[in-house]
Amino acid sequence: MYLLIHMVPAKIYHYLLEPNPVLVFYFVRCFLSVGCALSEVYFYKSVCREFGIHVARLTLAFLILSSGMYISSAAFLPSSFSMYFSTVATAAWYTRRYELAVFTTAISSLLGWPFAALLGIPIAAEMLMHKQEWSRFIKWVLISGLVIAIPMVWVDSMYFGKLVVAPLNIILYNVFTNHGPNIYGTEPFVYYIVNGFLNFNFVFLGALFAPLGLFLVWLIVPARPRDSSCLPYWYSLAPLYLWFLVFFLQPHKEERFLFPVYPMICLAGAIAVDTVQKLYFYVRTKLNPSHIGCHYLQYTAHITISAMVICGLLGLSRSLAIYKGYYAPMEVMIEANKLGTEGEVPSDVSVNFCIGKEWHRFPSSFFLPSNNWKLQYLKSEFKGQLPQPFLDHENATSVIQAHFNDLNKEETSRYFNLDKCHFLLDLDVGTETALEPNYSRLGDHFTILKSSGFLNASKSHPLFRAFYIPFVSHKFCTYGSYNLLQSNKLKFLILSSKQKSSKFS
C-alpha cells in the first residue's frame, strides 16, 4: 500500500509527460519535497500560535537551512513519510484540532512507520486524561481504522496472497524476536549526538539543552504567566524527548530513525535560542536597571541574527559537502540511463548491470533504461543478505521464493558471474581485496565510460569532509573515482545486434 501511494504521482507523470524512468524518479522526489514543505508551513503557523512569532521565525529558518531537512525531505523512506504526517499531527495538536491530529498520526504509523505512533502518545494522553474526550478519541480511532487500516490490510493481503498486517509484522520482528534489529549493526550512545550535530549543528545541541534553559528561565526570570490556552512547555515538547529517550537507548541506530522528529528538533533549537536571549536580557537588566521596562527582543536581536547566520551557514556547508562528496553514483547512473534511451545499447539486448561492493550506493532501478536491463550482484566482503527481485510472472508478489532468511545471513544464490556482466558500477580508491578487486583497472576486461569524483572519507580531514568550505576543503579532501565500466565483450554483442537489425530493415 505504501508503494502504491507513491505510484500515483509516478504514473501521472509517466502518462502525461516524458516516460524516461530517471525523470519519473526525480519527479517523485520533487513531489515528496512539496509535501514536506506544505507540512512545514502548517507546522510554522501552529508554532506561531503556541510559542509566538519569534520562536516560529527561528524554527522556520532552521527548517529551511538545516542539512537534516535537506536530506530527509525528499527521501523515499517510510521514516520520511512519517515525518510529514507526524509534523502535521503535532501542528494540529498545537492548534487543538484533535481529529486531524489522531487521523494523521494513524496515517504516519499505519502507512508509514509503526513506531511513529510513539509521537501520538502525548496527544492521546491529553485527550483522554486532561480533556476527558474519550468518545471523540475512540470515534477518530475507529474512523482511522476504517479509512486507513482496513484498505491497507486488504491491499497488502491481496498482493501477498495471505493475511498481512504490515505494521504488526514490523513490530513483531523488531521488538519480539530474540535478535531484533541488532543483527544489522549496533552503535554507541554518542552516534546520534554526532549525527545530530552534523545535520543540525548547534540547533541540535540547543534542542538537547532546551529543557535546562526553560527551567532556568522559569527559576530566575520574572515573566507573565503563559496564556492558559497554551500547553506547558514540557508537555508540548514531550514527543521529541520521548522519541530521544526510546531511540537513544536502542543498540541499533540509524540516521533515518530520527527523521520523524526533525522538525521538532528545529523547534526545540529555536526555543533554546529564545531562552538564551531571555537569560542574557535578565543579566543585562541586573547590570543596567534602566532597561527593565523594555522588551527582551529589543536588546537581543544580535543573538537571533547570529544564531540564524551561524547555524544557516553550517547547514548549507554540510549540504554542499554531502552533494560534492557523494553525488557521483547519481551522476554516473544518469550516464548509464542515456546508453539505453539514446540508442547506444539496442532495446532487444538483455543487459546485465552488475554491482559488487557498491551495492548499498546503487541509487535505484529507475536509473536503468528499460526492463531488459537486470541488476546483478557480485560477491564482495559484505556477508549479509542481499535483495532479490520478484519473479516476472503474474502474481509474483504472492510467490514465496527460496533462499531467504530473517537473520541477515549471506545467501550465495544472489551472486552473479563476472564474465556475464555487461556493465559494472565500481569505486576506485586505490585499494582492493581478493573479493573486491579494482575492476576499474582491469583494462583487458572493462572500459571506463563515465567517471566522477567520490569522497574518500578515510583519507580526508574529518572537519573538511563534513563541512564544505570554498577554496579550502579541496586541499584537505581526497577523492576516488566512481566509474561506470563497460565489458569489452559487450561491444561485439552490440555490433552483432545492430548488424542483425540492419539486415532485416
Side-chain angles (χ1 to χ4, degrees), residues 383-432:
K383 300 304 178 187
Q385 183 174 209
L386 290 165
Q388 180 171 315
F390 288 105
L391 299 175
D392 291 330
H393 59 69
E394 190 177 356
N395 298 324
T397 53
S398 63
V399 177
I400 300 177
Q401 299 186 59
H403 310 296
F404 271 103
N405 67 81
D406 65 351
L407 297 173
N408 196 29
K409 290 183 177 180
E410 183 180 24
E411 289 286 353
T412 56
S413 62
R414 305 288 195 273
Y415 300 131
F416 195 69
N417 189 335
L418 176 64
D419 293 333
K420 296 180 180 179
C421 293
H422 299 127
F423 293 97
L424 198 154
L425 201 62
D426 188 47
L427 174 61
D428 179 9
V429 290
T431 60
E432 58 182 325

Short mmCIF file of all heavy atoms in Angstrom, two decimals, residues 383-432:
data_model
loop_
_atom_site.label_atom_id
_atom_site.label_comp_id
_atom_site.label_asym_id
_atom_site.label_seq_id
_atom_site.Cartn_x
_atom_site.Cartn_y
_atom_site.Cartn_z
N LYS A 383 28.85 -9.68 4.05
CA LYS A 383 28.41 -11.04 4.37
C LYS A 383 26.95 -11.10 4.83
O LYS A 383 26.52 -12.09 5.41
CB LYS A 383 29.30 -11.63 5.47
CG LYS A 383 30.78 -11.72 5.09
CD LYS A 383 30.98 -12.51 3.81
CE LYS A 383 32.45 -12.57 3.40
NZ LYS A 383 32.63 -13.21 2.09
N GLY A 384 26.19 -10.04 4.56
CA GLY A 384 24.77 -10.06 4.90
C GLY A 384 23.93 -10.54 3.73
O GLY A 384 24.44 -10.98 2.70
N GLN A 385 22.61 -10.43 3.90
CA GLN A 385 21.69 -10.87 2.86
C GLN A 385 21.40 -9.74 1.89
O GLN A 385 21.00 -8.65 2.30
CB GLN A 385 20.38 -11.36 3.50
CG GLN A 385 19.39 -11.90 2.50
CD GLN A 385 18.16 -12.50 3.17
OE1 GLN A 385 17.53 -13.40 2.64
NE2 GLN A 385 17.81 -12.02 4.34
N LEU A 386 21.59 -9.98 0.61
CA LEU A 386 21.31 -9.00 -0.42
C LEU A 386 19.87 -9.14 -0.93
O LEU A 386 19.26 -10.20 -0.77
CB LEU A 386 22.29 -9.18 -1.59
CG LEU A 386 23.74 -8.77 -1.29
CD1 LEU A 386 24.68 -9.31 -2.36
CD2 LEU A 386 23.86 -7.26 -1.19
N PRO A 387 19.32 -8.09 -1.54
CA PRO A 387 17.95 -8.17 -2.07
C PRO A 387 17.83 -9.19 -3.20
O PRO A 387 18.83 -9.60 -3.78
CB PRO A 387 17.69 -6.75 -2.59
CG PRO A 387 18.71 -5.89 -1.92
CD PRO A 387 19.90 -6.76 -1.70
N GLN A 388 16.62 -9.55 -3.48
CA GLN A 388 16.34 -10.46 -4.60
C GLN A 388 15.10 -9.95 -5.32
O GLN A 388 14.12 -9.56 -4.68
CB GLN A 388 16.09 -11.87 -4.08
CG GLN A 388 15.80 -12.90 -5.17
CD GLN A 388 15.77 -14.31 -4.62
OE1 GLN A 388 16.64 -14.70 -3.85
NE2 GLN A 388 14.78 -15.09 -5.00
N PRO A 389 15.11 -9.89 -6.64
CA PRO A 389 13.95 -9.36 -7.37
C PRO A 389 12.75 -10.29 -7.32
O PRO A 389 12.90 -11.50 -7.11
CB PRO A 389 14.47 -9.22 -8.80
CG PRO A 389 15.55 -10.26 -8.90
CD PRO A 389 16.20 -10.31 -7.54
N PHE A 390 11.57 -9.72 -7.50
CA PHE A 390 10.38 -10.54 -7.65
C PHE A 390 10.47 -11.32 -8.95
O PHE A 390 11.19 -10.95 -9.87
CB PHE A 390 9.12 -9.65 -7.68
CG PHE A 390 8.77 -9.06 -6.35
CD1 PHE A 390 9.02 -7.72 -6.08
CD2 PHE A 390 8.18 -9.83 -5.36
CE1 PHE A 390 8.69 -7.16 -4.86
CE2 PHE A 390 7.85 -9.28 -4.13
CZ PHE A 390 8.10 -7.94 -3.88
N LEU A 391 9.73 -12.39 -9.03
CA LEU A 391 9.65 -13.14 -10.29
C LEU A 391 8.91 -12.31 -11.34
O LEU A 391 8.21 -11.35 -11.01
CB LEU A 391 8.95 -14.47 -10.06
CG LEU A 391 9.64 -15.43 -9.07
CD1 LEU A 391 8.78 -16.66 -8.84
CD2 LEU A 391 11.02 -15.82 -9.57
N ASP A 392 9.04 -12.69 -12.59
CA ASP A 392 8.47 -11.90 -13.68
C ASP A 392 7.01 -12.24 -13.99
O ASP A 392 6.32 -11.46 -14.62
CB ASP A 392 9.30 -12.09 -14.96
CG ASP A 392 10.67 -11.44 -14.85
OD1 ASP A 392 10.77 -10.45 -14.12
OD2 ASP A 392 11.62 -11.96 -15.46
N HIS A 393 6.53 -13.41 -13.56
CA HIS A 393 5.19 -13.81 -13.99
C HIS A 393 4.10 -13.16 -13.13
O HIS A 393 4.37 -12.47 -12.14
CB HIS A 393 5.05 -15.33 -13.97
CG HIS A 393 5.30 -15.95 -12.63
ND1 HIS A 393 4.45 -15.80 -11.56
CD2 HIS A 393 6.33 -16.74 -12.19
CE1 HIS A 393 4.91 -16.47 -10.52
NE2 HIS A 393 6.05 -17.05 -10.88
N GLU A 394 2.86 -13.38 -13.51
CA GLU A 394 1.72 -12.77 -12.84
C GLU A 394 1.63 -13.25 -11.39
O GLU A 394 1.99 -14.37 -11.06
CB GLU A 394 0.44 -13.14 -13.60
CG GLU A 394 -0.79 -12.37 -13.13
CD GLU A 394 -2.02 -12.72 -13.95
OE1 GLU A 394 -1.88 -13.50 -14.91
OE2 GLU A 394 -3.10 -12.21 -13.63
N ASN A 395 1.14 -12.36 -10.52
CA ASN A 395 1.01 -12.65 -9.08
C ASN A 395 2.36 -12.98 -8.44
O ASN A 395 2.43 -13.76 -7.48
CB ASN A 395 0.02 -13.80 -8.84
CG ASN A 395 -1.38 -13.47 -9.32
OD1 ASN A 395 -1.81 -12.33 -9.21
ND2 ASN A 395 -2.07 -14.46 -9.87
N ALA A 396 3.43 -12.37 -8.96
CA ALA A 396 4.77 -12.68 -8.46
C ALA A 396 4.95 -12.27 -7.00
O ALA A 396 5.73 -12.88 -6.27
CB ALA A 396 5.82 -11.99 -9.34
N THR A 397 4.21 -11.23 -6.56
CA THR A 397 4.36 -10.79 -5.18
C THR A 397 3.85 -11.80 -4.17
O THR A 397 4.19 -11.73 -2.99
CB THR A 397 3.63 -9.45 -4.96
OG1 THR A 397 2.27 -9.59 -5.41
CG2 THR A 397 4.31 -8.33 -5.74
N SER A 398 3.03 -12.74 -4.62
CA SER A 398 2.48 -13.74 -3.70
C SER A 398 3.33 -15.02 -3.65
O SER A 398 3.02 -15.92 -2.87
CB SER A 398 1.05 -14.10 -4.11
OG SER A 398 1.03 -14.70 -5.39
N VAL A 399 4.37 -15.08 -4.46
CA VAL A 399 5.22 -16.27 -4.50
C VAL A 399 6.32 -16.13 -3.46
O VAL A 399 7.08 -15.17 -3.46
CB VAL A 399 5.85 -16.46 -5.90
CG1 VAL A 399 6.80 -17.66 -5.89
CG2 VAL A 399 4.77 -16.65 -6.94
N ILE A 400 6.40 -17.09 -2.56
CA ILE A 400 7.47 -17.11 -1.56
C ILE A 400 8.67 -17.82 -2.17
O ILE A 400 8.65 -19.05 -2.35
CB ILE A 400 7.03 -17.80 -0.26
CG1 ILE A 400 5.82 -17.07 0.34
CG2 ILE A 400 8.18 -17.85 0.74
CD1 ILE A 400 5.26 -17.73 1.58
N GLN A 401 9.69 -17.07 -2.50
CA GLN A 401 10.85 -17.65 -3.17
C GLN A 401 11.79 -18.32 -2.16
O GLN A 401 11.76 -18.03 -0.95
CB GLN A 401 11.62 -16.56 -3.92
CG GLN A 401 10.81 -15.88 -5.01
CD GLN A 401 11.64 -14.93 -5.82
OE1 GLN A 401 12.63 -15.31 -6.43
NE2 GLN A 401 11.25 -13.66 -5.83
N ALA A 402 12.61 -19.19 -2.68
CA ALA A 402 13.60 -19.86 -1.83
C ALA A 402 14.77 -18.93 -1.54
O ALA A 402 14.88 -17.85 -2.10
CB ALA A 402 14.09 -21.12 -2.54
N HIS A 403 15.63 -19.37 -0.66
CA HIS A 403 16.87 -18.67 -0.34
C HIS A 403 16.63 -17.32 0.33
O HIS A 403 17.19 -16.30 -0.06
CB HIS A 403 17.74 -18.49 -1.58
CG HIS A 403 17.94 -19.76 -2.37
ND1 HIS A 403 18.61 -20.85 -1.86
CD2 HIS A 403 17.54 -20.11 -3.62
CE1 HIS A 403 18.62 -21.82 -2.77
NE2 HIS A 403 17.98 -21.40 -3.85
N PHE A 404 15.77 -17.32 1.34
CA PHE A 404 15.57 -16.14 2.17
C PHE A 404 15.73 -16.54 3.63
O PHE A 404 15.47 -17.68 4.01
CB PHE A 404 14.17 -15.54 1.95
CG PHE A 404 14.10 -14.53 0.86
CD1 PHE A 404 13.56 -14.86 -0.38
CD2 PHE A 404 14.56 -13.23 1.06
CE1 PHE A 404 13.49 -13.92 -1.40
CE2 PHE A 404 14.49 -12.29 0.05
CZ PHE A 404 13.96 -12.63 -1.18
N ASN A 405 16.14 -15.59 4.45
CA ASN A 405 16.19 -15.83 5.90
C ASN A 405 15.91 -14.52 6.61
O ASN A 405 16.00 -13.45 6.02
CB ASN A 405 17.55 -16.41 6.32
CG ASN A 405 18.69 -15.41 6.13
OD1 ASN A 405 18.90 -14.53 6.96
ND2 ASN A 405 19.43 -15.52 5.01
N ASP A 406 15.56 -14.61 7.88
CA ASP A 406 15.27 -13.39 8.65
C ASP A 406 16.38 -13.07 9.64
O ASP A 406 16.17 -12.36 10.62
CB ASP A 406 13.92 -13.52 9.37
CG ASP A 406 13.93 -14.62 10.42
OD1 ASP A 406 14.92 -15.38 10.48
OD2 ASP A 406 12.97 -14.71 11.19
N LEU A 407 17.57 -13.60 9.38
CA LEU A 407 18.71 -13.38 10.29
C LEU A 407 19.84 -12.60 9.61
O LEU A 407 20.94 -12.54 10.14
CB LEU A 407 19.24 -14.73 10.79
CG LEU A 407 18.26 -15.55 11.63
CD1 LEU A 407 18.84 -16.93 11.92
CD2 LEU A 407 17.92 -14.83 12.93
N ASN A 408 19.56 -12.04 8.44
CA ASN A 408 20.56 -11.29 7.68
C ASN A 408 21.80 -12.12 7.39
O ASN A 408 22.93 -11.61 7.40
CB ASN A 408 20.95 -9.99 8.43
CG ASN A 408 21.67 -9.01 7.53
OD1 ASN A 408 21.45 -8.97 6.31
ND2 ASN A 408 22.55 -8.21 8.11
N LYS A 409 21.61 -13.40 7.13
CA LYS A 409 22.74 -14.26 6.78
C LYS A 409 22.96 -14.25 5.27
O LYS A 409 22.02 -14.13 4.49
CB LYS A 409 22.47 -15.70 7.26
CG LYS A 409 22.50 -15.86 8.77
CD LYS A 409 22.30 -17.32 9.16
CE LYS A 409 22.40 -17.50 10.67
NZ LYS A 409 22.20 -18.92 11.06
N GLU A 410 24.21 -14.41 4.89
CA GLU A 410 24.57 -14.37 3.47
C GLU A 410 23.86 -15.47 2.69
O GLU A 410 23.78 -16.61 3.13
CB GLU A 410 26.09 -14.53 3.34
CG GLU A 410 26.59 -14.44 1.91
CD GLU A 410 28.11 -14.62 1.83
OE1 GLU A 410 28.68 -15.23 2.77
OE2 GLU A 410 28.72 -14.14 0.86
N GLU A 411 23.32 -15.10 1.54
CA GLU A 411 22.69 -16.05 0.63
C GLU A 411 23.51 -16.07 -0.66
O GLU A 411 23.48 -15.12 -1.45
CB GLU A 411 21.24 -15.65 0.33
CG GLU A 411 20.29 -15.84 1.50
CD GLU A 411 19.94 -17.30 1.74
OE1 GLU A 411 20.34 -18.15 0.91
OE2 GLU A 411 19.29 -17.60 2.77
N THR A 412 24.25 -17.12 -0.86
CA THR A 412 25.17 -17.18 -2.00
C THR A 412 24.45 -17.28 -3.35
O THR A 412 25.05 -17.04 -4.39
CB THR A 412 26.11 -18.39 -1.86
OG1 THR A 412 25.34 -19.59 -1.73
CG2 THR A 412 26.99 -18.24 -0.62
N SER A 413 23.14 -17.59 -3.31
CA SER A 413 22.39 -17.68 -4.57
C SER A 413 22.24 -16.33 -5.25
O SER A 413 21.87 -16.26 -6.43
CB SER A 413 21.00 -18.28 -4.30
OG SER A 413 20.27 -17.44 -3.42
N ARG A 414 22.52 -15.24 -4.54
CA ARG A 414 22.37 -13.91 -5.12
C ARG A 414 23.48 -13.56 -6.11
O ARG A 414 23.32 -12.67 -6.94
CB ARG A 414 22.37 -12.85 -4.01
CG ARG A 414 21.36 -13.02 -2.91
CD ARG A 414 19.94 -12.71 -3.38
NE ARG A 414 19.06 -12.55 -2.23
CZ ARG A 414 18.44 -13.53 -1.62
NH1 ARG A 414 18.56 -14.76 -2.09
NH2 ARG A 414 17.67 -13.29 -0.58
N TYR A 415 24.62 -14.25 -6.01
CA TYR A 415 25.81 -13.79 -6.73
C TYR A 415 25.79 -14.19 -8.20
O TYR A 415 25.28 -15.23 -8.60
CB TYR A 415 27.07 -14.33 -6.05
CG TYR A 415 27.19 -13.87 -4.62
CD1 TYR A 415 27.46 -14.78 -3.59
CD2 TYR A 415 27.05 -12.53 -4.29
CE1 TYR A 415 27.58 -14.35 -2.28
CE2 TYR A 415 27.17 -12.09 -2.98
CZ TYR A 415 27.42 -13.01 -1.99
OH TYR A 415 27.53 -12.58 -0.69
N PHE A 416 26.41 -13.31 -9.00
CA PHE A 416 26.42 -13.44 -10.46
C PHE A 416 27.85 -13.62 -10.95
O PHE A 416 28.81 -13.22 -10.28
CB PHE A 416 25.80 -12.18 -11.08
CG PHE A 416 25.41 -12.30 -12.51
CD1 PHE A 416 24.35 -13.10 -12.90
CD2 PHE A 416 26.11 -11.61 -13.49
CE1 PHE A 416 23.98 -13.20 -14.23
CE2 PHE A 416 25.76 -11.70 -14.81
CZ PHE A 416 24.69 -12.51 -15.19
N ASN A 417 27.98 -14.20 -12.13
CA ASN A 417 29.30 -14.45 -12.71
C ASN A 417 29.81 -13.17 -13.39
O ASN A 417 29.15 -12.59 -14.24
CB ASN A 417 29.20 -15.58 -13.74
CG ASN A 417 30.57 -16.04 -14.22
OD1 ASN A 417 31.54 -15.29 -14.19
ND2 ASN A 417 30.65 -17.28 -14.68
N LEU A 418 31.01 -12.75 -13.01
CA LEU A 418 31.59 -11.52 -13.55
C LEU A 418 31.70 -11.56 -15.07
O LEU A 418 31.50 -10.54 -15.74
CB LEU A 418 32.98 -11.28 -12.92
CG LEU A 418 33.78 -10.08 -13.45
CD1 LEU A 418 33.06 -8.78 -13.13
CD2 LEU A 418 35.19 -10.08 -12.86
N ASP A 419 31.99 -12.71 -15.62
CA ASP A 419 32.18 -12.82 -17.07
C ASP A 419 30.90 -12.52 -17.85
O ASP A 419 30.95 -12.25 -19.05
CB ASP A 419 32.68 -14.22 -17.44
CG ASP A 419 34.09 -14.47 -16.93
OD1 ASP A 419 34.83 -13.48 -16.78
OD2 ASP A 419 34.44 -15.63 -16.67
N LYS A 420 29.75 -12.60 -17.18
CA LYS A 420 28.49 -12.34 -17.86
C LYS A 420 27.99 -10.90 -17.69
O LYS A 420 26.92 -10.54 -18.18
CB LYS A 420 27.41 -13.31 -17.35
CG LYS A 420 27.71 -14.78 -17.65
CD LYS A 420 26.61 -15.67 -17.13
CE LYS A 420 26.91 -17.15 -17.42
NZ LYS A 420 25.84 -18.04 -16.88
N CYS A 421 28.78 -10.08 -16.99
CA CYS A 421 28.40 -8.69 -16.76
C CYS A 421 28.65 -7.85 -18.01
O CYS A 421 29.73 -7.94 -18.62
CB CYS A 421 29.19 -8.10 -15.59
SG CYS A 421 28.80 -8.84 -13.99
N HIS A 422 27.69 -7.03 -18.37
CA HIS A 422 27.86 -6.10 -19.49
C HIS A 422 28.30 -4.72 -19.02
O HIS A 422 29.09 -4.06 -19.69
CB HIS A 422 26.55 -5.99 -20.27
CG HIS A 422 26.10 -7.29 -20.86
ND1 HIS A 422 24.85 -7.81 -20.65
CD2 HIS A 422 26.76 -8.19 -21.62
CE1 HIS A 422 24.73 -8.97 -21.28
NE2 HIS A 422 25.88 -9.23 -21.87
N PHE A 423 27.77 -4.31 -17.87
CA PHE A 423 28.19 -3.05 -17.26
C PHE A 423 28.45 -3.31 -15.78
O PHE A 423 27.89 -4.23 -15.19
CB PHE A 423 27.11 -1.98 -17.42
CG PHE A 423 26.89 -1.53 -18.84
CD1 PHE A 423 25.86 -2.08 -19.59
CD2 PHE A 423 27.71 -0.57 -19.42
CE1 PHE A 423 25.65 -1.68 -20.90
CE2 PHE A 423 27.51 -0.17 -20.72
CZ PHE A 423 26.49 -0.71 -21.47
N LEU A 424 29.28 -2.44 -15.20
CA LEU A 424 29.63 -2.63 -13.79
C LEU A 424 29.83 -1.25 -13.15
O LEU A 424 30.44 -0.36 -13.75
CB LEU A 424 30.91 -3.46 -13.67
CG LEU A 424 31.21 -4.10 -12.32
CD1 LEU A 424 32.08 -5.34 -12.51
CD2 LEU A 424 31.94 -3.14 -11.38
N LEU A 425 29.30 -1.10 -11.96
CA LEU A 425 29.46 0.13 -11.18
C LEU A 425 30.54 -0.11 -10.14
O LEU A 425 30.47 -1.06 -9.35
CB LEU A 425 28.13 0.47 -10.50
CG LEU A 425 27.90 1.92 -10.04
CD1 LEU A 425 27.92 2.86 -11.24
CD2 LEU A 425 26.57 2.02 -9.30
N ASP A 426 31.58 0.74 -10.15
CA ASP A 426 32.73 0.46 -9.29
C ASP A 426 33.33 1.76 -8.75
O ASP A 426 33.34 2.79 -9.43
CB ASP A 426 33.80 -0.30 -10.07
CG ASP A 426 34.93 -0.80 -9.17
OD1 ASP A 426 34.63 -1.37 -8.11
OD2 ASP A 426 36.10 -0.61 -9.53
N LEU A 427 33.83 1.69 -7.52
CA LEU A 427 34.52 2.81 -6.89
C LEU A 427 36.00 2.50 -6.80
O LEU A 427 36.40 1.48 -6.23
CB LEU A 427 33.96 3.07 -5.49
CG LEU A 427 34.69 4.13 -4.65
CD1 LEU A 427 34.64 5.49 -5.33
CD2 LEU A 427 34.10 4.19 -3.24
N ASP A 428 36.82 3.37 -7.37
CA ASP A 428 38.27 3.19 -7.37
C ASP A 428 38.89 4.17 -6.40
O ASP A 428 38.98 5.37 -6.65
CB ASP A 428 38.81 3.42 -8.79
CG ASP A 428 40.33 3.27 -8.86
OD1 ASP A 428 40.93 2.82 -7.86
OD2 ASP A 428 40.91 3.60 -9.91
N VAL A 429 39.32 3.64 -5.23
CA VAL A 429 40.04 4.47 -4.25
C VAL A 429 41.45 3.93 -4.02
O VAL A 429 42.10 4.25 -3.03
CB VAL A 429 39.27 4.53 -2.90
CG1 VAL A 429 37.99 5.34 -3.06
CG2 VAL A 429 38.97 3.14 -2.37
N GLY A 430 41.90 3.08 -4.94
CA GLY A 430 43.27 2.58 -4.87
C GLY A 430 43.47 1.39 -3.98
O GLY A 430 44.60 0.95 -3.77
N THR A 431 42.39 0.83 -3.42
CA THR A 431 42.52 -0.35 -2.56
C THR A 431 41.75 -1.51 -3.18
O THR A 431 40.81 -1.31 -3.94
CB THR A 431 41.96 -0.08 -1.15
OG1 THR A 431 40.57 0.27 -1.26
CG2 THR A 431 42.72 1.07 -0.48
N GLU A 432 42.14 -2.71 -2.84
CA GLU A 432 41.43 -3.89 -3.33
C GLU A 432 41.70 -5.08 -2.42
O GLU A 432 42.67 -5.11 -1.67
CB GLU A 432 41.83 -4.21 -4.76
CG GLU A 432 43.31 -4.47 -4.99
CD GLU A 432 43.62 -4.72 -6.46
OE1 GLU A 432 42.78 -5.32 -7.14
OE2 GLU A 432 44.71 -4.32 -6.91
#
